[in-house]
Amino acid sequence: MRTLSYAQAIHEAHAQLLDRDPRVFVIGQGLWNPWYAGTTLKDLDKAFGCDRILDSPVSENATTGAAIGAAIAGMRPILFHPRMDFMLLAIDPIVNQAANWSYLFSAQVSVPLVIRSVINRGGEQGAQHSQALHAMLAHIPGLKVVMPSTAYDAKGLLIAAMEDNNPVIYIDDRWLYETTSDVPEDCYAIPIGKGIVRREGRDITIASISYMAEEAMKAGLSLEKQGIDVEVIDLRSAKPLDIDIILKSVKKTGRLVVADGGWKMFGFAAEVAASVSERAFHDLKGPILRVCLPDIPAPTSRALEERYYPRASDIEKTVKKSLNIVSVA
Amino acid sequence: MPKRILEEFKVEWFQLLDECGTLDSSLLSPLLSPSESITKKEIQGFYESMVLIRSFDEKALKLQRMGRLGTYASICGQEAIQVGCAAALRSSDWFFPAFRESGLSILRGLPMKTLYQYWSGDERGSVVPEAHNDFPIAIPVGTHIPHAVGAAWAALYKKDKIAVLATFGDGATSKGDFHEGLNFAGVFSLPVVFLCQNNQWAISIPVSRQTAASTIAQKAIAYGFPGIQVDGNDVIAVYLVVKQALERARRGEGPTFIECLTYRLNDHTTADDASRYRSEEEVTLWQEKDPMRRLRRYLEKTYDWSTSHEEALQQEVNARISTAVEEYESVGPDDPLQMFDSLFETLPKDLLEQRAELKRRIEKEQEGARH
Ligand SMILES: Cc1ncc(C[n+]2csc(CCOP(=O)(O)OP(=O)(O)O)c2C)c(N)n1
Ligand SMILES: [Mg+2]
C-alpha cells in the first residue's frame, strides 16, 4: 500500500469528495494561497475551480453562517477555519444554529456540514493562536467531534464527516502533518465514534486522542524497554466517545492514564475518567490519572512552551506514578 | 408617488505631498486653524521618525533571518501613516493598535527593546511603561475595534477630554467587529477615530475581494459619520486629517473614519512569501510612491536637506537601534513558572498545585543533572 503524510491524506480526501459529489464545496480563509493549511488544500482551486474552493474575506461569522445556510439548502460544504481560535468568532452559528437545527425542527432539516479546524500550537504562537477547544465543542449536544492522529484516519474521518448528515467538527493538528501511514487509494470512511487499540499491553491502559496518541505510542515504546507493557488506545473521536473500547482494556489492565492535548479542568480527559469510573470502578486498581495541558493559556516564549506542552516523557512519568514506580528524574 | 433623492454622499480624498515631493500648500490652510502652521522643524521631525522606524523594521527582518527574532510583521511602506498618527496624538489620548503598527508604538514611547522582545515571543515584551496609554497589539484581526469604542465611551462618561484612535488593516473591515464597532460609535457619538491602513492586501487576499465598495472610507457614511480617504504615503495629509479628526472627537462631535491608501511593501509576515500571489510590477509601482522617498525629495528641494544630513541622521538612528538590540539580547530566558503568575491576581488552589508540581519537576531535573 502507499504511504502518505497526514497532510497529503487530508488533501486526497478533499479531492475525492469534491470529485465524487458536485454538491461539495470548500469555504474559508486563505484557500487560494493556503497559509495556515500547509499543503492540505494545495492547488484545489486550480483543480476544482474558484467557485467550489471559495477564499473568503476575513469574516469568520459570515462564512460559517453562509456554510450552514448552503448546507440546509442542499449543498455539502466543508467549512475551513485555519485557526481554531478564530473559529470562536463564529461560535453562534455553530453552537446556537448548526448544532440545534435538527432538534429544533423535529429532525425535518439537519445541517450536513463539515467544520474543519486546525490546532496550530507551539512556535511562539501563544494564547490566541494555539488553543485546543475540542472539549468545549464536544460539550455541545448537537455536535460530533473527530480528531484523527494518523494519515489513514485523517482521510477516513474526513470522508465519514462528509457522509454524516449532521454537523461534524473535524480537528487536525499541525504537529501531525508530516507523520505518515499507509493510506488506501479508494474513498473510504472510518466510523465516527470508534476508537482503535494502537498497541496491546497488559500492565496499564493509555487512552489518548490526536497528537497525544502519537506521544502515547512513543511512551509505550520507551516503557516496553523498561519492562512495562502498555496498551494504547487512540479514541479518534472525542464525541461520540468509544467508551466500550476503554472499558474492555481497563478490565484487563486495571489501570488508566488519559492523555489529551487540551486543558485538564472540565476537559476531554475528565469526561473519559468520569465515564470509566462510573462503569468500571471495580476493575480499577488505582486512581485514573490525566496528562493534559496545565490550566493556563499557551505561552509564547520557548522557555515556557517547553514546560507547557505535555510530551511522551510526561506520559511515561504518569504511567510510572500509576504503577507506583518511583522514578529517578 | 413621486420619486425623490433622499441623500447623496461624497467621499473626499486628500493628498498634499505628491510622489515627486511637491507640496500643494493651497490645501494646507483649510486643514489648519488660523493660528496654526506646520513648521520646518515638524516636517523634518517627520522624516527623522520615518528613518527611525524604517531602520527598526529593517533590523527586525535581519534579526529574524538570522534566527534572532520570531515571526515579524513588517511596516515597510506604511511609515507615513504611523508618523502622522503619532504626531497628531496627544500622550493623554488612547491608541489601539492592530499588529502592523510597530512604528507608531515606538513613536508613542514604547522602547524598541520591548518591541524586539515582543516579536521574539518573550511575554515580557508585552509589558508597557507605566502611564503608557496604548492597548496591547491585537493579533486577532479587528477584535480591538469594539474595545476602542468602549474606551471612548468610558472617556465620554468620565468627561475626559481625550480621543481614542484605533488602527487596523483593510482585512479587518470585513469583520463584524468593525461594523458593530463603528455603528455603536455612531449611535453614541463617541470620541473615537477609526483609521484603516489599507495596504491593498490581507495576507494573500487583495482588497478587491474584501469589499465590493469602491472605497472603504464610504462605509462610515452608513454609520452616520464622516469617512475620508487619504493618501497614506503622504505624511502631511495623514497628520493633518488625523489631527482634525482627533480634535473633532475631543470637542465631542463624534467619530471619524479615515481610510489611508498605502501598500505593504514586504511579505505579510516573515512566515509568508508574497511572490506566490502578487506581481513584481505591482510592488515596483508602489515603491515609486514610497512615503520616505517623497518626503526626502521635499526636504531636499525646500530645505537643502543634504547627503551629510542624511548620513548623520542614519548614524544616530543606527546607534539607537544597536543599543536596543543589545538590551533585548542581553535578557536571559524567562522562568517557566512565570506562566502561572500572570493569569490571576491570586492563583486559585488548583492552579497553585499545578504550579507547585511543575516547580518540583524542574528542581528534580536540575538535581538529576547535577548528579
Ligand atoms: C480574527 C482573525 N481571523 C484571521 C486571522 C488570520 N490573519 C492574520 S493577519 C490577517 C490579514 C489581515 O489583513 P489586514 O487587516 O488587511 O491587515 P494587514 O496584515 O494587511 O496589516 C489574517 C486574515 C486573524 N489573525 N484573526
Ligand atoms: Mg491589509
Side-chain angles (χ1 to χ4, degrees), chain B residues 340-370:
Chain B
F340 284 95
D341 297 340
S342 346
L343 188 60
F344 291 119
E345 199 171 358
T346 44
L347 218 51
K349 187 170 166 290
D350 36 23
L351 278 174
L352 278 174
E353 276 169 20
Q354 292 186 11
R355 189 186 187 279
E357 197 191 307
L358 177 60
K359 186 157 182 260
R360 250 195 322 273
R361 222 166 68 205
I362 293 171
E363 283 167 359
K364 224 168 159 186
E365 279 173 22
Q366 284 166 345
E367 232 168 79
R370 270 199 294 276

mmCIF file of all heavy atoms in Angstrom, chain B residues 340-370:
data_model
loop_
_atom_site.group_PDB
_atom_site.id
_atom_site.type_symbol
_atom_site.label_atom_id
_atom_site.label_comp_id
_atom_site.label_asym_id
_atom_site.label_seq_id
_atom_site.Cartn_x
_atom_site.Cartn_y
_atom_site.Cartn_z
ATOM 1 N N PHE B 340 2.441 30.709 35.186
ATOM 2 C CA PHE B 340 1.299 30.631 36.102
ATOM 3 C C PHE B 340 0.993 31.979 36.744
ATOM 4 O O PHE B 340 -0.059 32.168 37.309
ATOM 5 C CB PHE B 340 1.601 29.633 37.227
ATOM 6 C CG PHE B 340 1.496 28.201 36.786
ATOM 7 C CD1 PHE B 340 2.613 27.496 36.382
ATOM 8 C CD2 PHE B 340 0.261 27.562 36.768
ATOM 9 C CE1 PHE B 340 2.515 26.185 35.972
ATOM 10 C CE2 PHE B 340 0.155 26.245 36.358
ATOM 11 C CZ PHE B 340 1.281 25.552 35.954
ATOM 12 N N ASP B 341 1.966 32.881 36.674
ATOM 13 C CA ASP B 341 1.885 34.038 37.559
ATOM 14 C C ASP B 341 1.200 35.264 36.974
ATOM 15 O O ASP B 341 0.992 36.233 37.682
ATOM 16 C CB ASP B 341 3.291 34.388 38.070
ATOM 17 C CG ASP B 341 3.853 33.246 38.907
ATOM 18 O OD1 ASP B 341 3.036 32.420 39.391
ATOM 19 O OD2 ASP B 341 5.077 33.136 39.045
ATOM 20 N N SER B 342 0.837 35.227 35.691
ATOM 21 C CA SER B 342 0.174 36.420 35.149
ATOM 22 C C SER B 342 -1.311 36.201 34.896
ATOM 23 O O SER B 342 -1.958 37.068 34.336
ATOM 24 C CB SER B 342 0.832 36.860 33.832
ATOM 25 O OG SER B 342 2.047 36.245 33.618
ATOM 26 N N LEU B 343 -1.837 35.059 35.290
ATOM 27 C CA LEU B 343 -3.220 34.757 34.905
ATOM 28 C C LEU B 343 -4.239 35.422 35.822
ATOM 29 O O LEU B 343 -5.196 36.030 35.355
ATOM 30 C CB LEU B 343 -3.428 33.238 34.876
ATOM 31 C CG LEU B 343 -4.748 32.764 34.304
ATOM 32 C CD1 LEU B 343 -4.933 33.213 32.864
ATOM 33 C CD2 LEU B 343 -4.864 31.252 34.389
ATOM 34 N N PHE B 344 -4.042 35.277 37.121
ATOM 35 C CA PHE B 344 -4.982 35.858 38.090
ATOM 36 C C PHE B 344 -4.215 36.699 39.099
ATOM 37 O O PHE B 344 -3.014 36.509 39.280
ATOM 38 C CB PHE B 344 -5.707 34.744 38.853
ATOM 39 C CG PHE B 344 -6.676 33.951 38.030
ATOM 40 C CD1 PHE B 344 -6.488 32.588 37.859
ATOM 41 C CD2 PHE B 344 -7.788 34.554 37.449
ATOM 42 C CE1 PHE B 344 -7.385 31.833 37.115
ATOM 43 C CE2 PHE B 344 -8.686 33.804 36.703
ATOM 44 C CZ PHE B 344 -8.488 32.451 36.538
ATOM 45 N N GLU B 345 -4.942 37.549 39.758
ATOM 46 C CA GLU B 345 -4.324 38.344 40.818
ATOM 47 C C GLU B 345 -3.797 37.398 41.899
ATOM 48 O O GLU B 345 -2.654 37.489 42.329
ATOM 49 C CB GLU B 345 -5.362 39.302 41.374
ATOM 50 C CG GLU B 345 -4.753 40.438 42.125
ATOM 51 C CD GLU B 345 -5.795 41.480 42.486
ATOM 52 O OE1 GLU B 345 -6.983 41.328 42.117
ATOM 53 O OE2 GLU B 345 -5.414 42.453 43.149
ATOM 54 N N THR B 346 -4.660 36.492 42.359
ATOM 55 C CA THR B 346 -4.172 35.434 43.257
ATOM 56 C C THR B 346 -4.551 34.103 42.626
ATOM 57 O O THR B 346 -5.679 33.916 42.164
ATOM 58 C CB THR B 346 -4.804 35.513 44.655
ATOM 59 O OG1 THR B 346 -6.202 35.749 44.495
ATOM 60 C CG2 THR B 346 -4.200 36.607 45.495
ATOM 61 N N LEU B 347 -3.606 33.212 42.621
ATOM 62 C CA LEU B 347 -3.799 31.937 41.948
ATOM 63 C C LEU B 347 -4.718 31.044 42.792
ATOM 64 O O LEU B 347 -4.474 30.852 43.985
ATOM 65 C CB LEU B 347 -2.420 31.277 41.782
ATOM 66 C CG LEU B 347 -2.141 30.526 40.492
ATOM 67 C CD1 LEU B 347 -2.461 31.350 39.262
ATOM 68 C CD2 LEU B 347 -0.689 30.075 40.461
ATOM 69 N N PRO B 348 -5.785 30.505 42.194
ATOM 70 C CA PRO B 348 -6.639 29.583 42.957
ATOM 71 C C PRO B 348 -5.862 28.320 43.355
ATOM 72 O O PRO B 348 -4.835 28.013 42.754
ATOM 73 C CB PRO B 348 -7.773 29.236 41.991
ATOM 74 C CG PRO B 348 -7.545 30.007 40.756
ATOM 75 C CD PRO B 348 -6.236 30.699 40.828
ATOM 76 N N LYS B 349 -6.437 27.604 44.305
ATOM 77 C CA LYS B 349 -5.734 26.465 44.903
ATOM 78 C C LYS B 349 -5.325 25.426 43.864
ATOM 79 O O LYS B 349 -4.200 24.930 43.869
ATOM 80 C CB LYS B 349 -6.643 25.836 45.956
ATOM 81 C CG LYS B 349 -5.980 24.756 46.759
ATOM 82 C CD LYS B 349 -6.850 24.359 47.943
ATOM 83 C CE LYS B 349 -6.377 23.060 48.565
ATOM 84 N NZ LYS B 349 -6.620 21.892 47.711
ATOM 85 N N ASP B 350 -6.229 25.108 42.950
ATOM 86 C CA ASP B 350 -5.894 24.041 41.989
ATOM 87 C C ASP B 350 -4.727 24.440 41.085
ATOM 88 O O ASP B 350 -3.894 23.624 40.729
ATOM 89 C CB ASP B 350 -7.113 23.601 41.165
ATOM 90 C CG ASP B 350 -8.046 24.739 40.839
ATOM 91 O OD1 ASP B 350 -7.581 25.903 40.840
ATOM 92 O OD2 ASP B 350 -9.232 24.484 40.572
ATOM 93 N N LEU B 351 -4.668 25.735 40.758
ATOM 94 C CA LEU B 351 -3.546 26.174 39.930
ATOM 95 C C LEU B 351 -2.252 26.281 40.741
ATOM 96 O O LEU B 351 -1.165 26.052 40.214
ATOM 97 C CB LEU B 351 -3.869 27.505 39.264
ATOM 98 C CG LEU B 351 -4.701 27.379 37.990
ATOM 99 C CD1 LEU B 351 -5.093 28.743 37.465
ATOM 100 C CD2 LEU B 351 -3.951 26.616 36.910
ATOM 101 N N LEU B 352 -2.395 26.607 42.016
ATOM 102 C CA LEU B 352 -1.213 26.601 42.887
ATOM 103 C C LEU B 352 -0.599 25.205 42.916
ATOM 104 O O LEU B 352 0.619 25.038 42.892
ATOM 105 C CB LEU B 352 -1.597 27.022 44.310
ATOM 106 C CG LEU B 352 -1.696 28.523 44.562
ATOM 107 C CD1 LEU B 352 -2.217 28.800 45.964
ATOM 108 C CD2 LEU B 352 -0.336 29.191 44.358
ATOM 109 N N GLU B 353 -1.470 24.210 42.921
ATOM 110 C CA GLU B 353 -0.981 22.822 42.928
ATOM 111 C C GLU B 353 -0.247 22.506 41.631
ATOM 112 O O GLU B 353 0.822 21.895 41.637
ATOM 113 C CB GLU B 353 -2.152 21.846 43.093
ATOM 114 C CG GLU B 353 -2.539 21.641 44.540
ATOM 115 C CD GLU B 353 -3.860 20.890 44.679
ATOM 116 O OE1 GLU B 353 -4.286 20.197 43.717
ATOM 117 O OE2 GLU B 353 -4.472 21.012 45.752
ATOM 118 N N GLN B 354 -0.831 22.934 40.497
ATOM 119 C CA GLN B 354 -0.175 22.675 39.209
ATOM 120 C C GLN B 354 1.180 23.390 39.152
ATOM 121 O O GLN B 354 2.152 22.854 38.636
ATOM 122 C CB GLN B 354 -1.071 23.132 38.043
ATOM 123 C CG GLN B 354 -2.331 22.292 37.897
ATOM 124 C CD GLN B 354 -3.146 22.650 36.645
ATOM 125 O OE1 GLN B 354 -2.697 23.382 35.781
ATOM 126 N NE2 GLN B 354 -4.357 22.119 36.564
ATOM 127 N N ARG B 355 1.210 24.576 39.718
ATOM 128 C CA ARG B 355 2.459 25.341 39.731
ATOM 129 C C ARG B 355 3.502 24.633 40.592
ATOM 130 O O ARG B 355 4.660 24.473 40.188
ATOM 131 C CB ARG B 355 2.195 26.753 40.272
ATOM 132 C CG ARG B 355 3.357 27.702 40.135
ATOM 133 C CD ARG B 355 3.043 29.035 40.830
ATOM 134 N NE ARG B 355 4.066 30.031 40.580
ATOM 135 C CZ ARG B 355 5.208 30.093 41.228
ATOM 136 N NH1 ARG B 355 5.479 29.207 42.169
ATOM 137 N NH2 ARG B 355 6.097 31.035 40.927
ATOM 138 N N ALA B 356 3.075 24.191 41.755
ATOM 139 C CA ALA B 356 3.998 23.514 42.673
ATOM 140 C C ALA B 356 4.541 22.236 42.035
ATOM 141 O O ALA B 356 5.714 21.890 42.188
ATOM 142 C CB ALA B 356 3.289 23.197 43.981
ATOM 143 N N GLU B 357 3.685 21.562 41.295
ATOM 144 C CA GLU B 357 4.119 20.320 40.658
ATOM 145 C C GLU B 357 5.200 20.596 39.609
ATOM 146 O O GLU B 357 6.204 19.886 39.529
ATOM 147 C CB GLU B 357 2.920 19.640 40.007
ATOM 148 C CG GLU B 357 3.194 18.180 39.701
ATOM 149 C CD GLU B 357 2.105 17.592 38.821
ATOM 150 O OE1 GLU B 357 0.922 17.715 39.178
ATOM 151 O OE2 GLU B 357 2.458 17.033 37.765
ATOM 152 N N LEU B 358 4.990 21.656 38.810
ATOM 153 C CA LEU B 358 5.998 21.999 37.806
ATOM 154 C C LEU B 358 7.311 22.389 38.489
ATOM 155 O O LEU B 358 8.391 22.001 38.059
ATOM 156 C CB LEU B 358 5.496 23.144 36.913
ATOM 157 C CG LEU B 358 6.498 23.649 35.862
ATOM 158 C CD1 LEU B 358 6.904 22.536 34.903
ATOM 159 C CD2 LEU B 358 5.919 24.822 35.060
ATOM 160 N N LYS B 359 7.199 23.121 39.583
ATOM 161 C CA LYS B 359 8.388 23.555 40.316
ATOM 162 C C LYS B 359 9.168 22.331 40.805
ATOM 163 O O LYS B 359 10.381 22.234 40.617
ATOM 164 C CB LYS B 359 7.948 24.426 41.494
ATOM 165 C CG LYS B 359 9.081 25.052 42.265
ATOM 166 C CD LYS B 359 8.599 26.305 43.007
ATOM 167 C CE LYS B 359 9.762 26.947 43.742
ATOM 168 N NZ LYS B 359 9.784 26.604 45.175
ATOM 169 N N ARG B 360 8.413 21.384 41.379
ATOM 170 C CA ARG B 360 9.047 20.151 41.865
ATOM 171 C C ARG B 360 9.785 19.438 40.745
ATOM 172 O O ARG B 360 10.894 18.956 40.895
ATOM 173 C CB ARG B 360 7.962 19.219 42.425
ATOM 174 C CG ARG B 360 8.015 19.075 43.937
ATOM 175 C CD ARG B 360 7.205 17.901 44.457
ATOM 176 N NE ARG B 360 5.940 17.642 43.786
ATOM 177 C CZ ARG B 360 4.772 18.223 44.110
ATOM 178 N NH1 ARG B 360 4.702 19.098 45.083
ATOM 179 N NH2 ARG B 360 3.667 17.920 43.448
ATOM 180 N N ARG B 361 9.107 19.385 39.584
ATOM 181 C CA ARG B 361 9.672 18.653 38.451
ATOM 182 C C ARG B 361 10.973 19.308 37.977
ATOM 183 O O ARG B 361 11.959 18.634 37.705
ATOM 184 C CB ARG B 361 8.661 18.623 37.308
ATOM 185 C CG ARG B 361 8.592 17.268 36.651
ATOM 186 C CD ARG B 361 7.398 17.146 35.770
ATOM 187 N NE ARG B 361 7.491 18.000 34.602
ATOM 188 C CZ ARG B 361 6.438 18.457 33.929
ATOM 189 N NH1 ARG B 361 5.219 18.137 34.325
ATOM 190 N NH2 ARG B 361 6.586 19.198 32.865
ATOM 191 N N ILE B 362 10.944 20.623 37.889
ATOM 192 C CA ILE B 362 12.138 21.333 37.414
ATOM 193 C C ILE B 362 13.288 21.120 38.403
ATOM 194 O O ILE B 362 14.417 20.828 38.009
ATOM 195 C CB ILE B 362 11.840 22.840 37.230
ATOM 196 C CG1 ILE B 362 10.836 23.029 36.086
ATOM 197 C CG2 ILE B 362 13.107 23.624 36.946
ATOM 198 C CD1 ILE B 362 10.296 24.437 35.939
ATOM 199 N N GLU B 363 12.974 21.221 39.690
ATOM 200 C CA GLU B 363 14.021 21.050 40.704
ATOM 201 C C GLU B 363 14.616 19.645 40.647
ATOM 202 O O GLU B 363 15.828 19.458 40.729
ATOM 203 C CB GLU B 363 13.458 21.346 42.096
ATOM 204 C CG GLU B 363 13.312 22.842 42.337
ATOM 205 C CD GLU B 363 12.472 23.166 43.575
ATOM 206 O OE1 GLU B 363 11.975 22.219 44.244
ATOM 207 O OE2 GLU B 363 12.306 24.362 43.848
ATOM 208 N N LYS B 364 13.730 18.671 40.476
ATOM 209 C CA LYS B 364 14.173 17.278 40.409
ATOM 210 C C LYS B 364 15.100 17.069 39.212
ATOM 211 O O LYS B 364 16.124 16.402 39.313
ATOM 212 C CB LYS B 364 12.936 16.380 40.241
ATOM 213 C CG LYS B 364 12.955 15.145 41.136
ATOM 214 C CD LYS B 364 11.577 14.523 41.093
ATOM 215 C CE LYS B 364 11.589 13.086 41.502
ATOM 216 N NZ LYS B 364 10.256 12.487 41.316
ATOM 217 N N GLU B 365 14.714 17.685 38.085
ATOM 218 C CA GLU B 365 15.543 17.557 36.886
ATOM 219 C C GLU B 365 16.899 18.203 37.082
ATOM 220 O O GLU B 365 17.918 17.677 36.663
ATOM 221 C CB GLU B 365 14.839 18.210 35.695
ATOM 222 C CG GLU B 365 13.784 17.327 35.077
ATOM 223 C CD GLU B 365 12.985 18.082 34.018
ATOM 224 O OE1 GLU B 365 13.496 19.092 33.486
ATOM 225 O OE2 GLU B 365 11.868 17.656 33.741
ATOM 226 N N GLN B 366 16.873 19.369 37.722
ATOM 227 C CA GLN B 366 18.141 20.071 37.956
ATOM 228 C C GLN B 366 19.039 19.253 38.878
ATOM 229 O O GLN B 366 20.237 19.150 38.659
ATOM 230 C CB GLN B 366 17.877 21.464 38.549
ATOM 231 C CG GLN B 366 17.382 22.437 37.484
ATOM 232 C CD GLN B 366 16.802 23.702 38.066
ATOM 233 O OE1 GLN B 366 16.502 23.762 39.271
ATOM 234 N NE2 GLN B 366 16.604 24.708 37.229
ATOM 235 N N GLU B 367 18.411 18.637 39.878
ATOM 236 C CA GLU B 367 19.150 17.764 40.786
ATOM 237 C C GLU B 367 19.758 16.595 40.012
ATOM 238 O O GLU B 367 20.936 16.291 40.148
ATOM 239 C CB GLU B 367 18.180 17.201 41.825
ATOM 240 C CG GLU B 367 18.623 17.382 43.258
ATOM 241 C CD GLU B 367 17.449 17.054 44.167
ATOM 242 O OE1 GLU B 367 17.216 15.847 44.367
ATOM 243 O OE2 GLU B 367 16.750 17.995 44.612
ATOM 244 N N GLY B 368 18.901 16.004 39.161
ATOM 245 C CA GLY B 368 19.352 14.868 38.346
ATOM 246 C C GLY B 368 20.537 15.252 37.464
ATOM 247 O O GLY B 368 21.472 14.487 37.287
ATOM 248 N N ALA B 369 20.468 16.478 36.935
ATOM 249 C CA ALA B 369 21.547 16.937 36.048
ATOM 250 C C ALA B 369 22.850 17.146 36.811
ATOM 251 O O ALA B 369 23.928 16.996 36.265
ATOM 252 C CB ALA B 369 21.125 18.232 35.364
ATOM 253 N N ARG B 370 22.714 17.516 38.081
ATOM 254 C CA ARG B 370 23.921 17.751 38.896
ATOM 255 C C ARG B 370 24.644 16.454 39.238
ATOM 256 O O ARG B 370 25.843 16.417 39.386
ATOM 257 C CB ARG B 370 23.548 18.502 40.175
ATOM 258 C CG ARG B 370 23.603 20.025 40.014
ATOM 259 C CD ARG B 370 23.691 20.723 41.350
ATOM 260 N NE ARG B 370 22.469 20.533 42.147
ATOM 261 C CZ ARG B 370 21.373 21.296 42.007
ATOM 262 N NH1 ARG B 370 21.350 22.256 41.104
ATOM 263 N NH2 ARG B 370 20.316 21.094 42.749
#
